[in-house]
Structure formats: structure tokens, C-alpha cells
Amino acid sequence: ITRRGIQAIIADLSRPLPDACVAVREERSKGGQVSKIPYLHWYHVARVLDAFAPGWEGAVTRVDSVGQTVAITYRLTIPCAEGMITREATGQETEEVKGYGDPTSNAEAMAFKRAAAKFGVGLWLYESKDSTGAALTAYLAGAPAIPPPPTEDGVPTVVAQKRQIITLLYKLGVKVQSKTACEEAVMQ
């Protein structure tokens, strides 16, 4: 079997899944505010790994009890052209589970999904609401990092779009008038 390189595997694992594959749960903050939290089921993560990282292996490497909490460390290994690449992560659950499952299986699922996230699985769920994560993704992909333009009712203003173009030109090294002169010109 010819194994693919880890970068190609991570690129595939990092691809967003269709919305229909994403589950949503509601969580209430200490202040009483309800938030919708998107997530992937552990068995969907396993299927994604099966598809793009065949031969992956996973194991619980440590189980700890800290007070009323079970903590699990999970090791995920992916075979690739470079060899066996491993990532570890932890998951924890209180002994008084309020929802589905038991503390140990819930902590294992959390640790497994976090280890898979270190290979890119599901990261887009966080980056869609995290402007710094989106900027980092763009930077790592080689694209110039540009802040989103100001909007009016969700549509970028013309002035904001022009400023963004000027910023992009500077980041790409294109020689234009001084930034201040350009900004003054587009403000008119």
C-alpha cells in the first residue's frame, strides 16, 4: 500500500463536512444565556478518519480520577509516507453526567475528538466563529491576512472594500501611492 504524505491527509481531514453531518446541542452559561454548540459525533469522526487516514489507530493511554471528574488521555496515530504520526489529547467528564452516556465513555469520546482535531478534523467548526482562527488558517495557506471590512447590514461598504484592496496591495508588495494618500482618495 502506498501511503500519502501527512500534509495531504491533514488537508483532507480539515475539509468542512456538510451541515447535515454536524450535530448541535444547547448549553446554558452560568449567567443563564443559552448557546448553540455545533459538534461532531465520535463515530462520524471515526468514519472521516477511515476515509482519509486508513489504518489509523487509537488508544486510551491514561485514566485519572480527579475529585468528581474522570480524565482520559487518548493517543491517535495515523500512518503516512513519513511514518507513524501521533497526537494526544485529554477529555474529562464529571461523575454526575447530566446527559447521555457515562463519565468514562464521554471523556474518551471527547479526548478522541480532540486528538482528531489536532489532525484537522472539525476545526472549521471553531474557526467559523473565531476571526483569529480564520486569519491563522488564511496565513498558513499563504494568503495575506486582512481583517474583515466594516459592513452596513452585513454588506461591506464601498470605502471598506477600497481600504481592504489597498491593504492587500501593500501586503502583496505592489507599489502604489502612500497608504495615507490612497485612503484619502477613496474617502472622497
Side-chain angles (χ1 to χ4, degrees):
I1 295 176
T2 303
R3 293 189 173 152
R4 299 183 314 138
I6 192 64
Q7 294 300 339
I9 293 170
I10 290 173
D12 283 340
L13 292 174
S14 299
R15 292 188 347 218
L17 296 175
D19 289 342
C21 299
V22 179
V24 178
R25 73 175 183 271
E26 290 187 350
E27 283 196 9
R28 187 173 304 277
S29 70
K30 290 179 183 177
Q33 186 176 17
V34 176
S35 297
K36 293 186 179 204
I37 310 294
Y39 69 98
L40 298 174
H41 291 289
W42 71 265
Y43 47 88
H44 290 165
V45 172
R47 290 181 63 192
V48 169
L49 288 166
D50 287 342
F52 297 115
W56 66 273
E57 298 174 1
V60 171
T61 60
R62 186 174 173 146
V63 179
D64 293 302
S65 180
V66 182
Q68 298 292 315
T69 302
V70 174
I72 288 184
T73 303
Y74 192 91
R75 176 177 295 144
L76 177 62
T77 303
I78 293 179
C80 58
E82 295 85 355
M84 302 295 273
I85 306 294
T86 300
R87 302 284 186 267
E88 286 190 353
T90 60
Q92 62 279 332
E93 181 72 74
T94 62
E95 290 180 5
E96 295 180 21
V97 177
K98 296 176 184 163
Y100 178 79
D102 63 83
T104 306
S105 63
N106 289 355
E108 180 181 353
M110 182 186 295
F112 168 60
K113 292 188 295 183
R114 286 178 173 174
K118 291 181 178 185
F119 285 107
V121 178
L123 289 181
W124 83 94
L125 293 171
Y126 302 99
E127 292 172 349
S128 65
K129 293 182 175 123
D130 176 7
S131 61
T132 59
L136 177 62
T137 298
Y139 171 78
L140 294 175
I146 302 172
T151 62
E152 292 176 4
D153 297 323
V155 178
T157 64
V158 172
V159 171
Q161 290 176 11
K162 289 180 180 178
R163 283 187 182 148
Q164 193 172 26
I165 290 168
I166 291 166
T167 302
L168 177 60
L169 290 172
Y170 270 91
K171 289 185 181 233
L172 291 174
V174 176
K175 302 239 184 245
V176 293
Q177 300 172 327
S178 74
K179 188 173 181 179
T180 305
C182 287
E183 286 179 344
E184 288 173 8
V186 297
M187 294 298 284
Q188 299 174 354

